[in-house]
């Protein structure tokens, strides 16, 4: 596949290695997209199982199931897995599958880089979780136990789990950068004739901003964890106060990456949510330009607000005020987006198939996440909320509801296109209602215990929090188990089911719906002309 | 067919060029991450953001004592993990006029059975007061070596500069003792 003539030759015959070699060597954007999505689903279950261990421990006050050390490890690794190995690969998987189809490109711009980008992920996931297994054989004391934020001095004192996590983050970072470069080049260079930038589907726009954020901020994280590594082993003192270093510096570096990361996870979702809305409201997207500009505004603001993650670490008042107001300013472009989403539905002839259910639920729940974020951005209030369960509930509203439930909407929306079969609609709806209700059951109590002062990342709690924690754990187990319905529905949809039409949804708009379901292995070898 | 092949290879070249350009952004932000370290340190030493105080003796002692103001200075002593010492200030706090030179004593005891070298690292809160705490003599200027079981009384002579911001009436001087030898 190294020369263009072979690539051209290929589309008439569709020959490629079969079995394992097909997946190891593939440069096809649909194959790679499928691998990303599969990997993401597996890691979603792994990360979910870890947090169910945590919720089981928190079901009752006192220590029942595990030692505090293991508790700390599970919390940090759960977060790293969900962010880097579940949400980000899911977004990249959709990008691989859908961006070439949406912009009328034959494939991603850099297919072999694409293959590398994916195959870096499994080793990184293994590196991250290996210390758990090693500890069983008496090597080391388990995985990273600092929480996903790696704060020194704890991360400087930690065991080999920290080193494994640092190398894992390096590899995950390289993978994200490769994927991002590929997406930027694809969107800039591979669009079909007539597909101008302001005609791009919003999903491509959202991903373009995400990709730029990743390229600009992942190296900062890589740099920060590298400094941590040299502090641990090579006698440098970037963050080690003993030699004149400053642990707070790490927090600045980490959140310079970490805050944009939040929008990196969300922008692709903000991209395809309007597309789902227009499909099921049977109306064109409202405020396309406003949404594109809002994406840019959020992207730009996201890199200048980082210090609101550690208001309590000590900052001069002017700095506190700056970070408070700039953080609150992000709600302005987001309010524009919320308005556009609602206006897209307004007076539409709506129908509520599973993707639409997830999308409408997503708007409400993500809205709660956003509003509770505004409360946290308030410097005066944050002193009370910092490091409490209020924060945990807030970021799960943004990242589980806003991230994962958004991705689920995407899965149900595009699964018939990708597999050629309709999924089971009844099961899908059941999955939505179980997920939405048990999600709220899990996290609403956490707002209250947080306000009452229950600190996060602690394996035990005061007795007055017992009832709320029991409700929360019950919700978490229902939430976890209902995801098995999701997995079952996906697998049975891949295996068979009612044949999907090319357009799949009555109101679907965009180039991907002009292709057969499933699309041929090589699509758009003759680029369509967009008018 | 051949024409299309040409077009495709041209596009592949353009793709590669753009990818390399994007790699410059990656390299730039990696560099930026490391450049932030000295930038941060400069910013902190100018503004006193992180409470770091000067770690060498002040030679110029201000003669002017501001009799109208009283400032309370509290002392905090911490021993970091890996150093088997006891460490505490003899007086937990002093109240003094800005410009007035004060002496206090910190006591340290090596509770281990071997000779150990430690280094004390100071920090002042609130951060904006850190530049105004001037030390004339301090045990933190040099490493301290203690034999097994040895007890040492260590002096600290300092004054608060009269330029201390008006709204600061109380400040905390904290010392963390670290093991000076990496294990």
């Amino acid at each position: 596949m190294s020369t263009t003539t072979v690539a051209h030759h290929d589309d008439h015959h569709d020959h490629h290695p079969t079995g394992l070699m097909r997946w190891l060597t593939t440069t096809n954007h649909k194959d790679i997209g499928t691998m990303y999505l599969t990997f993401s689903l597996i890691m979603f279950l792994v990360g979910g199982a870890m947090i169910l261990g945590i919720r089981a421990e928190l079901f009752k006050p006192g220590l029942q199931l595990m030692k505090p050390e293991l508790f700390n490890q599970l919390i940090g690794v759960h977060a790293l897995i969900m962010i880097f190995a579940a949400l980000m690969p899911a977004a990249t998987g959709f990008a691989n599958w859908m961006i070439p189809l949406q912009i009328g490109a034959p494939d991603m711009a850099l297919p072999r880089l694409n293959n590398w980008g994916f195959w870096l992920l499994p080793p990184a996931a293994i590196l991250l979780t290996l210390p758990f297994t090693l500890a069983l054989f008496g090597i080391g004391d388990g995985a990273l136990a600092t929480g996903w934020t790696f704060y020194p001095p704890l991360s400087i004192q930690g065991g080999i789990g920290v080193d494994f996590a640092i190398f894992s983050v390096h590899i995950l970072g390289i993978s994200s950068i490769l994927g991002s470069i590929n997406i930027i080049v694809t969107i800039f260079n591979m669009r079909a004739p007539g597909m101008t930038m302001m005609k791009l589907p919003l999903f491509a726009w959202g991903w373009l901003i995400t990709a730029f954020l990743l390229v600009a901020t992942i190296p900062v994280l890589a740099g920060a964890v590298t400094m941590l590594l040299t502090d641990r082993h090579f006698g440098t003192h970037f963050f080690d106060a003993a030699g004149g270093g400053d642990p707070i510096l790490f927090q600045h570096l980490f959140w310079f990456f970490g805050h944009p990361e939040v929008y990196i996870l969300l922008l692709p979702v903000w991209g395809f949510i309007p597309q789902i809305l227009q499909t099921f409201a049977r109306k064109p997207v409202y405020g396309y330009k406003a949404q594109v500009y809002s994406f840019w505004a959020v992207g730009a603001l996201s890199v200048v607000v980082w210090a609101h993650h550690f208001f309590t670490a000590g900052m001069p008042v002017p700095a506190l005020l700056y970070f408070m107001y700039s953080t609150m300013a992000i709600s302005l472009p987001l309010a524009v987006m919320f308005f556009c989403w609602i206006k897209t539905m307004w007076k539409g002839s709506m129908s509520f198939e599973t993707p639409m259910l997830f999308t409408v639920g997503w708007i409400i729940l993500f809205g709660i996440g956003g509003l509770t974020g505004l409360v946290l951005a308030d410097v005066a209030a944050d002193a009370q909320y910092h490091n409490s369960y209020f924060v945990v509930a807030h970021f799960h509203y943004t990242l589980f509801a806003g991230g994962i439930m958004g991705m689920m909407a995407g899965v149900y929306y595009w699964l018939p296109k990708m597999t050629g079969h309709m999924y089971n609609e009844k099961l899908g709806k059941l999955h939505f209602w179980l997920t939405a209700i048990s999600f709220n059951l899990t996290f609403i109590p956490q707002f209250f215990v947080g306000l009452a002062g229950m600190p996060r990342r602690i394996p035990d709690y005061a007795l007055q929090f017992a009832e709320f924690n029991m409700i929360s754990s019950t919700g978490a187990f229902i939430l976890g188990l209902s995801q098995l319905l999701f997995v079952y529905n996906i697998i049975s949809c891949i295996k068979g089911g009612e044949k999907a039409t090319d357009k799949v949804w009555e109101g679907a708009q965009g180039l991907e719906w002009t292709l057969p379901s499933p699309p041929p292995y090589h699509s758009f070898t003759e680029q369509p002309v967009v008018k | 067919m051949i024409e299309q092949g040409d077009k495709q290879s041209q596009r592949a070249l353009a793709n590669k060029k753009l990818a390399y350009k994007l790699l410059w952004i990656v390299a730039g932000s990696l560099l930026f991450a490391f450049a932030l370290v000295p930038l941060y340190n400069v910013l902190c030493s100018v503004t006193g953001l992180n409470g770091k105080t000067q770690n060498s003796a002040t030679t110029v002692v201000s003669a002017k004592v501001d009799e109208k103001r009283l400032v309370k200075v509290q002392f905090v002593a911490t021993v970091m993990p890996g150093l088997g010492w006891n460490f505490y200030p003899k007086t937990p706090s002093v109240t003094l006029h800005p410009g007035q030179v004060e002496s206090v004593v910190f006591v340290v005891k090596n509770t281990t059975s071997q000779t150990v070298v430690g280094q004390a690292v100071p920090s002042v809160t609130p951060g904006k007061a850190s530049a105004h705490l001037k030390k004339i003599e301090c045990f933190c200027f040099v490493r301290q070596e203690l034999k097994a079981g040895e007890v040492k009384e260590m002096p600290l002579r300092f004054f608060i500069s009269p330029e201390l911001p008006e709204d600061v009436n109380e400040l905390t001087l904290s010392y963390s003792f670290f093991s000076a030898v990496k294990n």
Side-chain angles (χ1 to χ4, degrees):
Chain A
M1 299 272 276
S2 54
T3 63
T4 48
T5 43
V6 175
H8 185 74
H9 176 70
D10 232 21
D11 56 55
H12 298 293
H13 296 280
D14 259 18
H15 58 71
H16 46 73
T18 50
L20 185 65
M21 283 312 281
R22 165 181 172 186
W23 300 103
L24 277 174
T25 60
T26 185
T27 54
N28 180 285
H29 73 101
K30 299 181 190 84
D31 280 355
I32 293 173
T34 305
M35 290 197 294
Y36 266 110
L37 289 169
T38 313
F39 176 79
S40 154
L41 184 63
I42 294 169
M43 294 316 285
F44 171 59
L45 297 176
V46 171
M50 286 179 174
I51 211 62
L52 286 187
I54 298 288
R55 279 319 319 176
E57 173 60 56
L58 292 173
F59 188 73
K60 281 202 296 193
L63 296 180
Q64 290 94 20
L65 297 174
M66 58 184 81
K67 288 184 181 154
E69 289 82 6
L70 181 61
F71 184 94
N72 292 345
Q73 293 166 15
L74 286 177
I75 283 199
V77 178
H78 158 78
L80 283 173
I81 284 185
M82 287 306 199
I83 292 166
F84 286 98
L87 261 178
M88 287 169 74
T92 318
F94 280 137
N96 267 295
W97 249 104
M98 290 305 158
I99 286 179
L101 299 187
Q102 288 190 332
I103 66 172
D107 201 314
M108 294 296 279
L110 308 154
R112 275 192 282 181
L113 197 77
N114 209 7
N115 175 292
W116 257 100
F118 173 75
W119 280 109
L120 285 172
L121 286 179
I126 292 169
L127 264 186
L128 191 58
T129 47
L130 193 63
F132 284 120
T133 324
L134 289 180
L136 293 180
F137 295 98
I139 306 167
D141 41 14
L144 169 91
T146 63
W148 80 286
T149 51
F150 290 93
Y151 277 7
L154 193 55
S155 55
I156 294 179
Q157 297 155 359
I160 56 164
V162 180
D163 301 318
F164 274 89
I166 287 172
F167 286 125
S168 176
V169 164
H170 279 142
I171 299 174
L172 291 164
I174 294 170
S175 161
S176 303
I177 288 170
L178 295 183
S180 301
I181 288 179
N182 207 351
I183 287 165
I184 296 173
V185 177
T186 306
I187 292 176
F188 277 169
N189 284 5
M190 307 283 283
R191 280 170 287 131
M195 174 70 80
T196 58
M197 286 304 272
M198 286 317 271
K199 275 187 192 163
L200 275 183
L202 281 170
F203 178 55
W205 259 118
W207 240 112
L208 189 63
I209 316 279
T210 281
F212 270 114
L213 286 176
L214 276 168
V215 168
T217 62
I218 286 265
V220 177
L221 174 70
V225 294
T226 307
M227 292 177 211
L228 202 59
L229 191 75
T230 59
D231 267 17
R232 282 170 59 79
H233 297 293
F234 305 111
T236 58
H237 296 99
F238 289 107
F239 313 124
D240 191 354
D246 190 337
I248 306 288
L249 171 61
F250 181 84
Q251 302 189 12
H252 283 283
L253 288 173
F254 182 86
W255 289 111
F256 185 82
F257 148 81
H259 196 74
E261 172 69 14
V262 176
Y263 300 106
I264 285 164
L265 298 171
L266 291 175
L267 274 161
V269 182
W270 298 344
F272 64 69
I273 286 292
Q275 293 173 207
I276 299 179
L277 286 173
Q278 81 171 356
T279 300
F280 295 100
R282 294 163 182 82
K283 270 178 68 196
V285 167
Y286 179 82
Y288 172 90
K289 273 189 190 167
Q291 292 191 60
V292 171
Y293 298 149
S294 298
F295 288 174
W296 277 111
V298 170
L301 281 171
S302 74
V303 287
V304 295
V305 299
W306 71 91
H308 65 224
H309 290 269
F310 45 97
F311 277 149
T312 56
M315 253 178 275
V317 175
L320 290 175
L321 290 177
Y322 161 72
F323 282 113
M324 172 170 82
Y325 288 127
S326 56
T327 303
M328 288 181 170
I330 295 184
S331 62
L332 300 176
L334 264 167
V336 171
M337 281 186 246
F338 271 93
F339 179 76
C340 292
W341 298 330
I342 295 168
K343 189 70 173 68
T344 304
M345 289 189 283
W346 189 254
K347 290 186 177 170
S349 52
M350 290 200 284
S351 57
F352 293 92
E353 286 86 345
T354 311
M356 186 61 165
L357 277 181
F358 266 98
T359 302
V360 176
W362 177 92
I363 292 176
I364 296 166
L365 296 176
F366 177 58
I368 296 175
L371 290 173
T372 50
L374 269 178
V375 179
L376 287 168
D378 183 327
V379 173
D382 185 68
Q384 160 82 5
Y385 300 151
H386 185 79
N387 256 354
S388 77
Y389 259 87
F390 189 90
V391 178
V392 175
H394 154 69
F395 69 68
H396 280 94
Y397 269 86
T398 57
L399 293 184
F400 186 91
I404 299 222
M405 282 178 70
M407 291 298 175
M408 285 171 176
V411 169
Y412 284 114
Y413 183 56
W414 279 317
L415 200 58
K417 172 54 65 186
M418 296 190 280
T419 62
H421 306 293
M422 294 305 288
Y423 57 86
N424 184 330
E425 187 66 49
K426 265 190 188 151
L427 267 186
K429 283 182 174 156
L430 182 67
H431 172 228
F432 167 74
W433 287 110
L434 279 173
T435 302
I437 292 170
S438 59
F439 167 76
N440 282 296
L441 194 65
T442 310
F443 290 103
I444 286 177
Q446 296 188 6
F447 281 125
F448 292 115
V449 290
L451 283 175
M454 179 169 161
R456 63 192 281 214
R457 292 175 173 157
I458 308 284
D460 194 4
Y461 49 84
L463 288 178
Q464 75 260 32
F465 305 132
E467 284 82 5
F468 273 157
N469 271 288
M470 198 175 273
I471 298 172
S472 184
S473 287
T474 312
F477 272 91
I478 303 173
L479 182 59
L481 291 176
S482 14
Q483 302 320 311
L484 298 177
L485 283 180
F486 182 49
V487 177
Y488 173 79
N489 211 345
I490 292 174
I491 293 174
S492 55
C493 178
I494 293 168
K495 282 192 170 160
E498 191 194 324
K499 200 86 190 77
T501 59
D502 291 2
K503 211 174 171 192
V504 184
W505 313 108
E506 189 200 346
Q509 308 243 345
L511 280 178
E512 76 260 43
W513 309 104
T514 62
L515 290 166
S517 303
Y521 198 62
H522 295 283
S523 42
F524 289 138
T525 38
E526 295 288 338
Q527 286 201 301
V529 177
V530 180
K531 288 183 195 98
Chain B
M1 283 280 269
I2 292 160
E3 219 172 273
Q4 200 183 2
D6 271 0
K7 222 173 132 193
Q8 279 186 2
S9 62
Q10 259 174 19
R11 184 144 77 181
L13 196 70
N15 289 348
K16 241 185 212 171
K17 268 190 184 164
L18 182 54
Y20 281 119
K21 274 183 201 159
L22 290 167
L23 276 180
W24 282 108
I25 303 184
V26 176
S29 42
L30 191 66
L31 208 68
F32 174 68
F34 282 90
L36 274 176
V37 180
L39 277 175
Y40 178 80
N41 286 336
V42 168
L43 189 77
C44 285
S45 68
V46 171
T47 60
L49 263 178
N50 56 355
K52 277 187 192 168
T53 61
Q54 114 271 19
N55 226 4
S56 54
T58 304
T59 44
V60 192
V61 180
S62 155
K64 222 180 82 190
V65 178
D66 187 353
E67 301 271 352
K68 285 181 211 116
R69 273 181 84 184
L70 272 176
V71 180
K72 187 177 177 188
V73 182
Q74 301 188 57
F75 305 104
V76 174
T78 315
V79 179
M80 297 307 281
L83 187 67
W85 287 9
N86 286 338
F87 173 46
Y88 56 91
K90 257 194 164 171
T91 41
S93 67
V94 293
T95 307
L96 74 173
H97 298 295
Q100 174 192 342
V101 177
E102 187 70 51
S103 289
V104 288
V105 171
F106 282 71
V107 184
V108 66
K109 184 188 178 192
N110 182 358
T111 57
T112 65
S113 55
Q114 43 191 252
T115 305
V116 180
V117 182
Q119 167 74 51
V121 176
S123 168
V124 172
T125 32
K128 62 179 167 183
S130 59
H132 302 287
L133 191 137
K134 311 274 190 193
K135 291 176 223 143
I136 300 161
E137 187 188 351
C138 178
F139 54 90
C140 61
F141 294 160
V142 289
R143 293 173 168 191
Q144 301 291 331
E145 187 177 306
L146 268 78
K147 297 196 182 64
E150 187 185 345
V151 182
K152 202 172 183 179
E153 296 207 340
M154 304 179 301
L156 164 69
R157 276 167 66 75
F158 71 98
F159 64 94
I160 307 289
S161 136
E163 282 103 60
L164 183 75
E166 288 289 326
D167 56 332
V168 181
N169 298 313
E170 205 173 303
L171 50 102
T172 306
L173 172 58
S174 148
Y175 284 102
S176 301
F177 242 116
F178 290 88
S179 167
V181 191
K182 208 147 191 183
N183 8 325

